[in-house]
Amino acid sequence: MSEPIHTRPDISYADYLALDQILSAQRPRSDEHDELLFIVIHQASELWLKLSIHELAAAREQIARDDLGPAFKMISRVSRIQGQLIQSWDVLATMTPSEYHAIRPHLGQSSGFQSHQYRMLEFLMGAKDAAMLAVHEGTAAHADLAAALAAASLYDECVRLLKRRGFDVPAERDWSEVHVADPAIVAAWAVVYRDPEQYWDLYELAEKLVDLEFRFQQWRFAHLKTVERIIGFKPGTGGSSGASYLAKALEGSFFPELFQVRTGL
């Protein structure tokens, strides 16, 4: 006799996506028309950040296993997510300075600077700064962020991969420190770029990372210009310095050797 077919209980679109919870999570603190826009943009961004962390954490694991095919797909997906995040600033930029200042008193000390998911994404990609943990002191996210600070980043795993492939690179270091460009790593990537056919998977990995950083920096730049457009150069909420902090973040690089190598090719 054949086994009975077990069907899942009926589940609706709204139930599957928990729409009741999601759509009731917007709770404006004022009667201002534009506050809902502000809330939705930031909540949607946090969902995209959650997916980005999910994808890049998995990509890091695949690279550690020398299984680069799935990692390529995951990194590319995050690059496309960055496109969505960049476009979100276009929507928020429809808010004028007067409209923002009408809702600003209702924000209290809340600030995007306090986003633990954004910090997690930075740590995962390699922008380590132990001082940033203080922002999250006393929160539920602090322990996870501290663990991420001490763990190998996505790029650290790429450097370890180079070492396993026979390149003379320093593969072990204090993971809690920001990665500083190393001439030996630049030289290793130069070998890859000069002979892409021999090192095709490493070459493709490098280009996936470059695309990821390019998109991430475009997102940061769009954020900066949106802030300048709406509040100018005033300090941000929550104690952040506003536009000046965002501008400084653009000076760094997650994968510095991959940009330095281009100069010598």
Side-chain angles (χ1 to χ4, degrees):
M1 296 177 62
S2 61
E3 292 292 324
I5 298 175
H6 297 283
T7 59
R8 297 185 61 183
D10 288 341
I11 184 169
S12 71
Y13 175 80
D15 290 339
Y16 179 72
L17 296 178
L19 289 183
D20 286 347
Q21 294 94 315
I22 292 173
L23 297 179
S24 63
Q26 297 75 46
R27 296 187 289 273
R29 300 169 65 89
S30 74
D31 294 327
E32 297 295 333
H33 174 81
D34 296 285
E35 189 176 359
L36 183 61
L37 164 67
F38 191 85
I39 292 171
V40 167
I41 287 292
H42 287 85
Q43 286 184 340
S45 295
E46 288 292 334
L47 287 173
W48 284 124
L49 288 175
K50 181 176 183 177
L51 181 56
S52 296
I53 293 166
H54 173 72
E55 296 291 342
L56 291 185
R60 179 178 58 183
E61 292 178 7
Q62 296 297 331
I63 292 167
R65 298 182 189 134
D66 285 31
D67 190 7
L68 298 190
F72 294 156
K73 176 66 175 291
M74 295 163 183
I75 296 171
S76 292
R77 179 172 290 164
V78 176
S79 294
R80 303 290 84 75
I81 291 170
Q82 293 291 345
Q84 295 294 317
L85 289 166
I86 292 166
Q87 289 182 343
S88 73
W89 294 123
D90 290 341
V91 180
L92 188 61
T94 63
M95 179 180 286
T96 65
S98 60
E99 290 165 347
Y100 174 72
H101 284 290
I103 70 169
R104 185 169 184 171
H106 303 281
L107 303 181
Q109 292 301 305
S110 65
S111 168
F113 187 68
Q114 300 159 351
S115 169
H116 69 271
Q117 290 200 122
Y118 176 80
R119 197 68 57 208
M120 179 66 77
L121 187 59
E122 281 195 327
F123 285 1
L124 181 55
M125 290 179 63
K128 304 289 187 71
D129 185 351
M132 291 295 101
L133 285 178
V135 178
H136 307 279
E137 193 73 46
T139 70
H142 185 270
D144 288 340
L145 287 170
L149 181 74
S153 71
L154 175 72
Y155 190 55
D156 289 326
E157 287 297 351
C158 293
V159 175
R160 292 168 113 178
L161 175 63
L162 289 173
K163 184 74 171 181
R164 292 195 298 273
R165 295 291 184 89
F167 291 94
D168 185 15
V169 295
E172 302 300 327
R173 64 181 192 86
D174 182 353
W175 307 127
S176 66
E177 298 291 334
V178 67
H179 176 80
V180 177
D182 187 297
I185 300 175
V186 175
W189 285 124
V191 172
V192 171
Y193 271 87
R194 289 192 176 107
D195 194 353
E197 290 188 5
Q198 180 176 350
Y199 303 103
W200 181 257
D201 60 345
L202 294 176
Y203 177 74
E204 187 170 1
L205 175 62
E207 285 298 287
K208 296 294 185 188
L209 294 175
V210 168
D211 188 50
L212 178 63
E213 172 154 339
F214 179 71
R215 298 284 186 133
F216 199 101
Q217 295 290 47
Q218 282 184 312
W219 178 39
R220 281 175 162 174
F221 182 77
H223 187 185
L224 167 64
K225 290 305 176 182
T226 302
V227 168
E228 289 179 352
R229 175 173 178 163
I230 296 176
I231 71 169
F233 299 94
K234 289 189 290 294
T237 53
S240 70
S241 58
S244 62
Y245 169 78
L246 298 174
K248 185 172 179 58
L250 284 166
E251 298 173 2
S253 174
F254 295 102
F255 322 124
E257 292 91 351
L258 289 175
F259 291 88
Q260 290 186 16
V261 72
R262 284 155 161 74
T263 304
L265 292 177

